[in-house]
Amino acid sequence: MTIRKRSEDWEHQTLSCHAAFADQTRGRGREEPECDIRTAFQRDRDRILHCNSFRRLMHKTQVFICPEGDHYRTRLTHTLEVSQIARTIARALRLNEDLTEAIAMGHDLGHTPFGHAGEKGLDEISPNGYKHYMQSVRVVEHLEHGGAGLNLTFEVRNGIQCHSHGEDAVTQEGRIVRFADKTAYMNHDIEDAVRAQIITEEELPFHVKCTLGRSKSERISSLVDSIVRNSGEDIVMGAPELAAYKELREFMFAQVYKSPIVRDEEDKATELVKRLYEYFARHADKLPTEYKLIVDKEGADRAICDYISGMSDRFAISLYDELFIPRSWTKQQ
């Protein structure tokens, strides 16, 4: 018996009947030999962790664009926080932690530079629109490994696609990640906004503080506890905590996400992304070789969106500077 088989047997012995079992996956896009050590979902997690798109999350915006300070979140730190919250919930409910972690690690791979500001830019200018959760699936299916993709299991791809909008994931593990994503971003965005002196902890709605707590740790614990206590046949949050979360979300949109400090920089980022798109729409021949191949197969719009969405904040700024900012003329020697 291989180590993988023992792990698969352990899942059946210990996990809930609502869990997704690795040996019952709906499979991969391409068949391949099983690993003797890792289950299918463990392999998916490792493939995501080691791919190029995951590393680039380190230099992509969460909320504040190019913040000066080491403690503001990036897409990478956000992803790690989502993963930890999701695993905590999965373990408490005796669901599959490996599947949960794989989905959480991959859920934002398709995010543009400058976070939702960049996504807005591509969505407005692309004839086909742009959604980061769909691009995350495209990354793992087509863009990584030189166009071969990561060949992930159906359950992981489905969880990534459904983490933000639209239909619920087919697995409870995927539904956990949707809740974990909301829990993580709302609470760490509060912390970052306080650090940026946009809001203070005292300004948070009184009802929210009474229901969820006054600190980040208390709020996350309250939301996680509510999900664990109320979930069974499905993943749900208790009514009081859900109402408090919605009130907190409304507060954050009014006071932080739409604040002049954030919006002014987001508008710049949105326009920067649009300018890059317009440039490559006129000069598709300037795309890197791998994206020229996409132009031939799927059209210029698809290739340009793939190229821009994969950029880090600093690369996008550097490229914009190279393409649009005049250089001082110097006499050639």
Side-chain angles (χ1 to χ4, degrees):
M1 181 181 291
T2 64
I3 295 173
R4 184 201 79 248
K5 187 63 171 67
R6 287 203 297 269
S7 296
E8 292 169 347
D9 289 348
W10 176 86
E11 287 183 357
H12 286 282
Q13 294 166 12
T14 60
L15 297 185
S16 162
C17 62
H18 301 300
F21 298 100
D23 63 352
Q24 294 178 357
T25 172
R26 297 192 194 182
R28 305 181 184 278
R30 301 183 304 275
E31 290 188 12
E32 58 182 60
E34 294 284 359
C35 176
D36 287 341
I37 297 176
R38 295 167 298 165
T39 68
F41 299 148
Q42 289 170 350
R43 293 181 81 185
D44 285 358
R45 174 202 59 207
D46 293 350
R47 289 176 181 185
I48 292 168
L49 181 65
H50 292 288
C51 76
N52 292 330
S53 299
F54 185 81
R55 289 192 292 276
R56 287 198 295 269
L57 295 176
M58 176 169 52
H59 298 294
K60 291 192 176 189
T61 290
Q62 175 59 28
V63 172
F64 297 100
I65 296 169
C66 301
E68 293 187 5
D70 294 335
H71 299 138
Y72 288 94
R73 267 69 174 196
T74 66
R75 279 289 153 190
L76 180 59
T77 56
H78 163 71
T79 294
L80 296 176
E81 292 184 34
V82 172
S83 176
Q84 189 58 49
I85 292 171
R87 286 183 57 199
T88 297
I89 298 170
R91 182 176 297 181
L93 295 174
R94 291 172 45 235
L95 298 174
N96 197 309
E97 274 190 74
D98 295 325
L99 172 58
T100 305
E101 185 176 24
I103 296 169
M105 288 292 193
H107 81 281
D108 268 355
L109 293 180
H111 242 301
T112 61
F114 315 117
H116 289 289
E119 180 175 17
K120 177 184 177 185
L122 282 184
D123 190 44
E124 289 178 352
I125 199 167
S126 168
N128 299 309
Y130 183 92
K131 302 299 180 202
H132 79 273
Y133 49 91
M134 297 302 297
Q135 186 69 14
S136 294
V137 177
R138 180 168 171 81
V139 167
V140 300
E141 287 187 340
H142 300 292
L143 299 183
E144 281 291 337
H145 284 190
L150 302 179
N151 198 29
L152 305 181
T153 58
F154 166 82
E155 291 79 4
V156 173
R157 289 179 282 124
N158 172 262
I160 291 172
Q161 180 174 326
C162 299
H163 83 268
S164 182
H165 295 285
E167 296 180 359
D168 286 336
V170 298
T171 64
Q172 289 205 1
E173 289 82 359
R175 294 171 218 159
I176 283 175
V177 173
R178 180 180 281 197
F179 274 105
D181 185 31
K182 297 177 186 296
T183 300
Y185 85 71
M186 189 63 62
N187 284 286
H188 61 50
D189 289 354
I190 291 172
E191 193 170 58
D192 283 355
V194 171
R195 179 174 289 109
Q197 299 182 344
I198 296 176
I199 60 171
T200 65
E201 290 274 4
E202 289 71 27
E203 292 178 271
L204 297 179
F206 179 75
H207 174 254
V208 170
K209 290 187 282 190
C210 289
T211 305
L212 301 181
R214 295 179 176 272
S215 69
K216 178 188 70 173
S217 177
E218 289 176 348
R219 289 190 296 270
I220 292 176
S221 294
S222 295
L223 293 170
V224 168
D225 180 71
S226 179
I227 294 167
V228 171
R229 284 187 292 103
N230 288 278
S231 296
E233 295 292 330
D234 197 5
I235 306 299
V236 296
M237 186 182 290
E241 293 78 18
L242 182 60
Y245 169 83
K246 290 180 177 179
E247 183 178 353
L248 183 58
R249 185 175 184 273
E250 290 177 2
F251 170 84
M252 288 295 289
F253 268 91
Q255 301 300 320
V256 177
Y257 303 136
K258 294 184 178 181
S259 70
I261 295 175
V262 174
R263 289 300 298 272
D264 287 350
E265 297 307 309
E266 283 191 349
D267 289 345
K268 295 176 188 177
T270 298
E271 290 306 309
L272 184 153
V273 166
K274 286 183 175 182
R275 290 288 302 277
L276 290 177
Y277 182 99
E278 290 169 345
Y279 175 84
F280 288 110
R282 296 192 305 269
H283 306 286
D285 59 305
K286 301 294 186 181
L287 289 166
T289 301
E290 60 268 34
Y291 296 98
K292 291 179 184 176
L293 297 176
I294 297 174
V295 173
D296 294 338
K297 294 179 180 178
E298 303 179 68
D301 173 68
R302 182 69 271 162
I304 296 168
C305 285
D306 286 344
Y307 183 42
I308 294 176
S309 66
M311 296 177 184
S312 65
D313 292 11
R314 61 187 184 182
F315 181 83
I317 292 171
S318 175
L319 182 60
Y320 181 91
D321 182 69
E322 177 185 330
L323 295 176
F324 298 111
I325 305 301
R327 295 286 185 272
S328 298
W329 183 86
T330 56
K331 182 179 180 180
Q332 297 296 314
Q333 300 296 327

